Amino acid sequence: MSSLKRTISTRTTRLTARASPYNSGVTLFESDVDSSASPRRSKRIKVETKVEEVMDTKSLPNAAASGSQKPTSKRTANKSPRKAKPVQQALEVPHPAPERWRETYNTIKQMRSRITAPVDTMGCDQAQFKETDPKSRRFATLISLMLSSQTKDEVTDAAVSKLRAALGGSLTVDRLIAADDAVIAEAIGKVGFWRRKTEYIKKAAQRLRDDFDSDVPKTVDELCSLPGVGPKMAFLTLHVAWNLNVGIGVDVHVHRITNRLGWHKPPTKNPEETRLNLQSWLPTELHREINHMLVGFGQVICLPVGPRCDQCELSTNGLCPSVQKPSKSKSRKAVILASATSSSESLPKIEVEIEAEESKSILYTMPSPSSPGIKREEAW
């Protein structure tokens, strides 16, 4: 607590006698005022505050060596950077495998083989095929995944292509670092949170150049140390860029669908909880393919709003506890079934329109009639 010191000024007056220079019979008296005293009586309170200076204990060794110590305030004391927390890889207590999960998984996989979803042609794994250099392929995969957050595959694919063109025809670390922020922002302006992603991919490229020899890291923790990269992106990057299967990439589709299937008891609250649950019981050989399979399934059948349960075999086989009644809205997308052409390319392509009330279409690819195990259109 600050100490208060009350100071009251006083004035001392002394009279000095001297003879008048004009008349020796006259004595003059002059006042001699103490110069140190205030000329006016003051009732002000003088407040003296004791300021405690805090030494920065981290700088004491250096200061002792230099022979001088400079006090620093607590507010300006330098804090060491927070160390990144390693990504959790396993649960302490594994989640039990759901009943009939294998039957459910195989049913989705069979349906998925007959669906051409946006992720199949415009997913993040497609960005690498337009690059020739191995490092550029891996970098293009990472950039595509970073741009894909909160963005549809169609928009992400177009943004990656536009960014590649803006950088001179190839996505490389050096070209991205050298590019002006305005050029990058113009190229990726259609993706969600494009301002933040412009900053993230620029800083990530600088980190790759400075710390990883201009290449994509090969561990989850190193990838997650890059700005704008989370566990989902890290696992998928390792799958595609390095062919490393070290975990499951869980996005909103995987999180939503596995909860609808009742695979989590209790239901998980976020994709990270979903990932840890799935990794605890799903066979390792399925960790890589489940993301691509469920993303396409979620884009076409198990939609976030108004899922197409009327087109899903899980509902007819009693494998989904979250079956919803089909919507009667006239704005529903038309579903077009198409038979796959054979290798000879000579067979005609057959399209059957089930609902003709919407201009947009979803393409289902059905096996050719000669394929074993073919099902009639009415069955799914």
Side-chain angles (χ1 to χ4, degrees):
M1 179 181 293
S2 301
S3 61
L4 300 178
K5 182 178 179 181
R6 183 184 296 272
T7 304
I8 301 177
S9 60
T10 59
R11 183 173 59 180
T12 304
T13 304
R14 297 175 182 177
L15 297 178
T16 304
R18 67 181 180 88
S20 173
Y22 306 104
N23 190 342
S24 58
V26 178
T27 302
L28 300 177
F29 294 90
E30 294 181 349
S31 61
D32 185 10
V33 183
D34 187 359
S35 60
S36 62
S38 173
R40 181 181 299 177
R41 181 177 294 274
S42 175
K43 294 184 179 181
R44 296 178 183 175
I45 298 176
K46 182 178 180 182
V47 179
E48 296 180 356
T49 305
K50 293 182 179 180
V51 180
E52 296 181 359
E53 294 178 336
V54 180
M55 298 295 297
D56 186 359
T57 55
K58 296 179 182 179
S59 63
L60 286 179
N62 296 334
S66 61
S68 61
Q69 296 181 354
K70 294 183 179 181
T72 59
S73 172
K74 282 184 178 179
R75 294 181 180 178
T76 59
N78 293 328
K79 295 182 179 180
S80 58
R82 183 174 297 178
K83 211 169 186 180
K85 189 177 180 180
V87 176
Q88 186 177 351
Q89 292 286 2
L91 293 175
E92 293 183 3
V93 179
H95 187 284
E99 295 182 3
R100 301 180 69 184
W101 76 266
R102 178 71 74 172
E103 183 181 356
T104 301
Y105 190 96
N106 290 338
T107 301
I108 296 176
K109 190 173 183 177
Q110 186 179 21
M111 285 189 291
R112 185 67 178 85
S113 66
R114 303 194 296 266
I115 296 173
T116 301
V119 70
D120 296 326
T121 57
M122 293 172 285
C124 296
D125 58 332
Q126 300 296 312
Q128 60 176 326
F129 298 124
K130 296 181 181 179
E131 302 291 341
T132 56
D133 179 68
K135 283 188 177 182
S136 297
R137 286 190 169 191
R138 292 188 284 268
F139 183 62
T141 299
L142 176 62
I143 293 299
S144 180
L145 282 164
M146 293 179 70
L147 297 181
S148 69
S149 176
Q150 303 293 318
T151 307
K152 292 183 177 181
D153 286 335
E154 303 93 314
V155 179
T156 302
D157 181 69
V160 172
S161 298
K162 193 172 181 180
L163 179 60
R164 180 182 287 109
L167 297 182
S170 181
L171 269 174
T172 67
V173 171
D174 292 335
R175 290 187 181 186
L176 186 62
I177 294 174
D180 189 76
D181 288 357
V183 174
I184 299 175
E186 171 65 23
I188 68 171
K190 298 292 184 179
V191 304
F193 305 102
W194 59 270
R195 290 186 180 88
R196 189 178 303 171
K197 290 176 182 179
T198 298
E199 177 185 354
Y200 283 164
I201 63 176
K202 192 72 172 287
K203 289 183 177 179
Q206 293 169 348
R207 279 286 312 282
L208 295 183
R209 179 196 61 188
D210 298 339
D211 301 337
F212 301 102
D213 192 27
S214 296
D215 205 351
V216 173
K218 299 179 70 173
T219 68
V220 173
D221 290 335
E222 287 176 334
L223 281 165
C224 288
S225 71
L226 301 175
V229 177
K232 180 205 76 172
M233 298 180 194
F235 286 114
L236 293 179
T237 298
L238 294 179
H239 290 168
V240 178
W242 290 108
N243 196 26
L244 295 175
N245 182 15
V246 295
I248 301 174
V250 176
D251 64 353
V252 291
H253 294 288
V254 180
H255 176 63
R256 178 183 72 254
I257 294 171
T258 55
N259 273 283
R260 281 180 176 175
L261 294 174
W263 282 4
H264 308 288
K265 303 292 183 181
T268 52
K269 299 177 182 179
N270 54 65
E272 270 299 274
E273 290 183 8
T274 300
R275 176 181 68 84
L276 292 172
N277 276 2
L278 291 175
Q279 288 180 181
S280 68
W281 60 266
L282 189 70
T284 305
E285 62 269 18
L286 302 180
H287 286 188
R288 180 171 180 173
E289 70 175 33
I290 188 174
N291 176 273
H292 191 85
M293 180 183 76
L294 291 186
V295 167
F297 185 67
Q299 289 176 335
V300 178
I301 298 293
C302 198
L303 303 172
V305 179
R308 302 305 303 266
C309 298
D310 55 326
Q311 300 293 328
C312 181
E313 293 181 12
L314 298 178
S315 60
T316 58
N317 295 338
L319 296 173
C320 180
S322 304
V323 178
Q324 300 181 18
K325 293 182 180 180
S327 173
K328 296 181 180 180
S329 173
K330 293 184 178 182
S331 61
R332 299 285 284 179
K333 295 180 180 179
V335 179
I336 302 229
L337 308 181
S339 64
T341 58
S342 65
S343 57
S344 63
E345 300 279 342
S346 59
L347 296 178
K349 189 174 182 180
I350 303 173
E351 295 185 355
V352 181
E353 187 172 344
I354 294 179
E355 299 181 27
E357 298 172 328
E358 173 71 27
S359 58
K360 295 183 179 179
S361 302
I362 302 174
L363 182 65
Y364 287 71
T365 304
M366 295 187 61
S368 62
S370 60
S371 300
I374 184 172
K375 293 188 177 184
R376 296 179 60 190
E377 296 166 3
E378 294 85 351
W380 59 281

